Amino acid sequence: DYGYGGGPRRRVDWSFFDRIIMLTANPAEYALGRAECERVGLTPTPYHAVKEVGPQQSFSHSERNILLEFLFSDDNRLLHLEDDVVFRDLTHLPAAVSQLPVDWDILYFGANLVCGGAGSMAPRRYSSHLFRINAAWTTHAIAYNKKCVEFILGKQPSFNERMYDSALSDLLPRLQTFVVAPMVAWQRARHSSIWERYDDHAPVFEASEARLK
């Protein structure tokens, strides 16, 4: 009985994803993230953030390592989570996954579609529960098909130059990129170690959801 709200729920077959990891830099935050995953039938493997000169560099370096390990594994589909993920109504997630084309590259469970360059590129409906997108920020709940990983790694700038999710956004027009509609994963409000402030992303996700009409 997964997701928020009333009514019947359809259980998600998480086995579609060969590898499920959760990026974390704080044991207390990981405990919250793991509990949220267990609530919906997931048991992610923790990936402890690389220690770097700063949180931005740690994030970008960690993302590169996660993708490198995935690239050289026997797995083909990675579900990447961060420890502030909050799952919403998952009723339609199985349908969204089933609607992916065979050659998909990236699937966002939720995304910032209004920041950076994303605001100027309108999402395009692909199916009843998928939109094609050309720009997005956030990697709190994102799935990768292995075939795109080498391309992403080859284009990643230095850790000091760009945040990983911003750099990835620039690559999305060249990839088969989708977002689940309605979005099924937002982020928990908390103190951001990267931006050193309290962040509540609910308004961003609400504005992003409004673009998926």
Side-chain angles (χ1 to χ4, degrees):
D1 192 26
Y2 300 150
Y4 297 136
R9 293 290 178 263
R10 180 178 175 187
R11 287 181 177 268
V12 178
D13 181 8
W14 296 109
S15 66
F16 177 78
F17 303 102
D18 307 304
R19 174 176 292 228
I20 302 172
I21 65 93
M22 175 173 282
L23 176 63
T24 185
N26 180 293
E29 294 287 341
Y30 174 68
L32 291 173
R34 182 183 174 91
E36 175 66 5
C37 286
E38 290 177 344
R39 184 180 68 82
V40 298
L42 270 173
T43 305
T45 299
Y47 185 91
H48 300 285
V50 177
K51 294 189 181 299
E52 262 281 7
V53 296
Q56 174 179 324
Q57 293 82 358
S58 172
F59 171 66
S60 295
H61 193 166
S62 299
E63 294 297 330
R64 184 172 186 83
N65 283 8
I66 288 168
L67 290 182
L68 278 170
E69 290 183 7
F70 173 47
L71 179 64
F72 290 107
S73 74
D74 293 329
D75 301 322
N76 292 306
R77 294 179 294 274
L78 165 69
L79 176 56
H80 171 292
L81 305 169
E82 295 174 11
D83 59 16
D84 62 349
V85 66
V86 175
F87 291 102
R88 297 174 66 80
D89 185 348
L90 298 175
T91 307
H92 56 283
L93 181 57
V97 170
S98 72
Q99 291 165 9
L100 285 169
V102 174
D103 61 344
W104 71 278
D105 290 307
I106 295 176
L107 175 65
Y108 285 84
F109 282 27
N112 179 343
L113 302 178
V114 296
C115 288
S120 61
M121 299 181 181
R124 304 188 308 277
R125 181 174 291 279
Y126 176 80
S127 66
S128 60
H129 290 298
L130 293 175
F131 275 76
R132 285 289 302 268
I133 54 175
N134 290 306
W137 287 1
T138 67
T139 54
H140 65 291
I142 182 174
Y144 297 92
N145 197 345
K146 179 178 276 186
K147 72 185 187 69
C148 73
V149 170
E150 191 169 357
F151 169 74
I152 293 170
L153 291 171
K155 299 294 184 181
Q156 185 181 6
S158 72
F159 305 147
N160 289 316
E161 183 181 346
R162 294 280 299 280
M163 286 278 288
Y164 171 78
D165 60 336
S166 174
L168 177 63
S169 182
D170 289 348
L171 303 179
L172 299 188
R174 300 169 65 180
L175 298 169
Q176 289 266 63
T177 308
F178 302 86
V179 64
V180 178
M183 296 182 187
V184 295
W186 287 16
Q187 288 176 283
R188 184 178 67 254
R190 66 171 180 175
H191 182 270
S192 169
S193 61
I194 292 179
W195 303 116
E196 297 184 345
R197 69 189 183 209
Y198 181 83
D199 276 337
D200 183 353
H201 298 289
V204 169
F205 285 111
E206 289 169 356
S208 297
E209 290 275 13
R211 306 196 77 204
L212 303 178
K213 303 297 183 184

